[in-house]
Amino acid sequence: MTTGVPEGDSVSLGKLKQMMADFAKERDWDQYHTPRNLLLAMVGEVGELSEIFQWKGEVKRGVPDWKEEEKIHLGEELSDVLLYLVRLSDICGVDLGKAALRKVELNAIKYPAKASKEVTNKENEIENSSTANNGTIEEN
Amino acid sequence: MTTGVPEGDSVSLGKLKQMMADFAKERDWDQYHTPRNLLLAMVGEVGELSEIFQWKGEVKRGVPDWKEEEKIHLGEELSDVLLYLVRLSDICGVDLGKAALRKVELNAIKYPAKASKEVTNKENEIENSSTANNGTIEEN
Amino acid sequence: MTTGVPEGDSVSLGKLKQMMADFAKERDWDQYHTPRNLLLAMVGEVGELSEIFQWKGEVKRGVPDWKEEEKIHLGEELSDVLLYLVRLSDICGVDLGKAALRKVELNAIKYPAKASKEVTNKENEIENSSTANNGTIEEN
Amino acid sequence: MTTGVPEGDSVSLGKLKQMMADFAKERDWDQYHTPRNLLLAMVGEVGELSEIFQWKGEVKRGVPDWKEEEKIHLGEELSDVLLYLVRLSDICGVDLGKAALRKVELNAIKYPAKASKEVTNKENEIENSSTANNGTIEEN
């Protein structure tokens, strides 16, 4: 690409949802795709994703010292979680894209930009960050 | 909407990625967003999602008998998993959309539509489906 | 055994802790057994445990219709979660047995036997159990 | 205690199993304690445990710089995972203690002490440990 925009950025949740629905239909797998089956399948994939990180100690941003095959494996496990998550949402009748946009808005109200910044800095001044409640997307 | 297409379907992974990056930057949270911190945060959200389903026994597609507030809560937890997943991918330098499309292709090769259908039917004929290895997105 | 007591019932948490400590020491693995490494390894095992249950729909108590090899596999995955949990507790300096006994006591205070029973029955009378907050060990 | 042995070390899996069974019975909760309900409840607790560790970066053995209340919270979440794990095993008819002892034996065969030590050392000589497959309890 010449634009510098990652090519996968344009992939929409609707497209993934449709691909997963077609995939299941073509294989007669709708019968297995119940909410709790899909949830447990997703938990299984989260486990596989965690296994990639389990013995590594702290990992640097961009995973610069990982082998190419490990990076590919990482992309596969991240994808598996995403695909089951999209499918689970669809099967539950949840508009995931709409819900996600709404959640970001709620988080922006819960953690106002300026206030959160100040809290973060303050925390860092008086103690190590281990107990700071920052970085969080939500607390529900 | 008049088209019948869920409005969230057009939300792209790139848009969510950008929103999450802006959100963290505005709050000085980049310092907390390391790969393993984000992974554990995502596992935390998967736990909250599981809690919604934990005492319900088998759940019907579309969750028709759930209260409206439960459905909203469900959308929030699904969103939290998605948002951390998108952020984790970004911080690891993974093009999640591209990886997901590739994974669907790999799955289509691994589970050819016709063969999988036959296996599924055959399984159902000769035994209960509890041991059938169907419905799976991947086995890695 | 002639007593009818399952032979594994007498296995103590201290014994498992010691076995795990010896196992790691004999293999020079202490260096890998940091709290977050062990936690992620445990999440990985929880994922493998979930995979056993993922396509089965509701599963009966005692898993009466599972094949013998599936039951053995189930025991292995339950064990893997337990062993990492015991090791994680040890490495964090937590007396797991003491903490567990204390937690049961706290739960008994939080959910008094008689009151919980009445709530359960009442819930069942007036609505389906899907929203009942029972069965829970804790709510923290 | 004068012996120096942690008091919780003597707690057996059988005792915890019996306590959980009594606890459920006294509250009429057996009806909710199906295998998949308990599994999802355990996943929920694993999520809560992960939340304790999520923003901390690498954590030191013995969590020396954690506040007392954080250590207590940690013990509670570790306990919650244990209690649901013990209950899940019981409801599935698995002798968890026996299975765990057997698993340690299998691991000892799979990772012989001497060989694993050599591999570990060798790995450390020639590359960083990030790709070493050590520290693992199992690979199933």
Side-chain angles (χ1 to χ4, degrees), chain D residues 55-96:
Chain D
W55 302 125
K56 292 190 188 298
E58 208 43 33
V59 170
K60 289 180 200 156
R61 288 176 181 79
V63 300
D65 46 4
W66 287 27
K67 293 177 187 165
E68 189 56 25
E69 65 186 34
E70 283 185 302
K71 291 182 189 178
I72 291 172
H73 185 202
L74 173 59
E76 289 174 350
E77 297 305 338
L78 289 165
S79 298
D80 285 332
V81 177
L82 176 64
L83 295 172
Y84 276 129
L85 181 68
V86 166
R87 182 67 174 155
L88 171 60
S89 301
D90 186 21
I91 290 295
C92 287
V94 169
D95 182 337
L96 182 58

Side-chain angles (χ1 to χ4, degrees), chain A residues 4-70:
Chain A
V5 177
E7 55 184 297
D9 275 11
S10 64
V11 175
S12 69
L13 292 173
K15 179 184 174 69
L16 292 175
K17 183 180 78 173
Q18 193 57 53
M19 290 177 85
M20 291 301 292
D22 292 344
F23 197 93
K25 192 180 175 67
E26 289 161 11
R27 285 157 186 79
D28 266 357
W29 284 356
D30 282 324
Q31 59 187 313
Y32 301 110
H33 286 193
T34 59
R36 300 223 306 186
N37 279 9
L38 289 164
L39 173 56
L40 285 172
M42 196 189 78
V43 172
E45 298 303 332
V46 170
E48 293 189 28
L49 178 59
S50 297
E51 284 176 12
I52 298 180
F53 288 90
Q54 69 191 359
W55 302 124
K56 291 191 188 299
E58 211 40 37
V59 169
K60 288 180 199 157
R61 289 175 180 76
V63 298
D65 46 5
W66 288 27
K67 294 178 186 166
E68 188 57 26
E69 64 186 36
E70 283 185 301

Side-chain angles (χ1 to χ4, degrees), chain D residues 17-64:
Chain D
K17 184 180 78 172
Q18 192 58 51
M19 289 177 85
M20 292 301 292
D22 293 344
F23 197 94
K25 192 177 175 69
E26 289 161 12
R27 285 157 186 78
D28 265 356
W29 285 356
D30 282 322
Q31 59 187 314
Y32 302 110
H33 286 192
T34 60
R36 300 225 305 188
N37 278 11
L38 289 164
L39 173 57
L40 286 171
M42 195 189 78
V43 172
E45 297 303 331
V46 170
E48 293 188 29
L49 178 61
S50 297
E51 284 176 13
I52 298 181
F53 287 91
Q54 70 190 359
W55 302 125
K56 292 190 188 298
E58 208 43 33
V59 170
K60 289 180 200 156
R61 288 176 181 79
V63 300

Side-chain angles (χ1 to χ4, degrees), chain B residues 52-99:
Chain B
I52 298 180
F53 288 91
Q54 70 190 359
W55 301 125
K56 292 190 186 300
E58 210 40 36
V59 169
K60 289 180 199 158
R61 289 175 180 79
V63 298
D65 46 4
W66 288 27
K67 294 177 188 167
E68 189 55 28
E69 64 184 37
E70 282 185 303
K71 291 182 188 178
I72 290 172
H73 184 202
L74 173 59
E76 289 175 349
E77 298 304 339
L78 289 164
S79 297
D80 286 332
V81 177
L82 176 63
L83 294 172
Y84 276 130
L85 181 68
V86 166
R87 182 69 174 154
L88 171 60
S89 301
D90 187 21
I91 290 295
C92 288
V94 169
D95 183 337
L96 183 59
K98 189 179 173 185

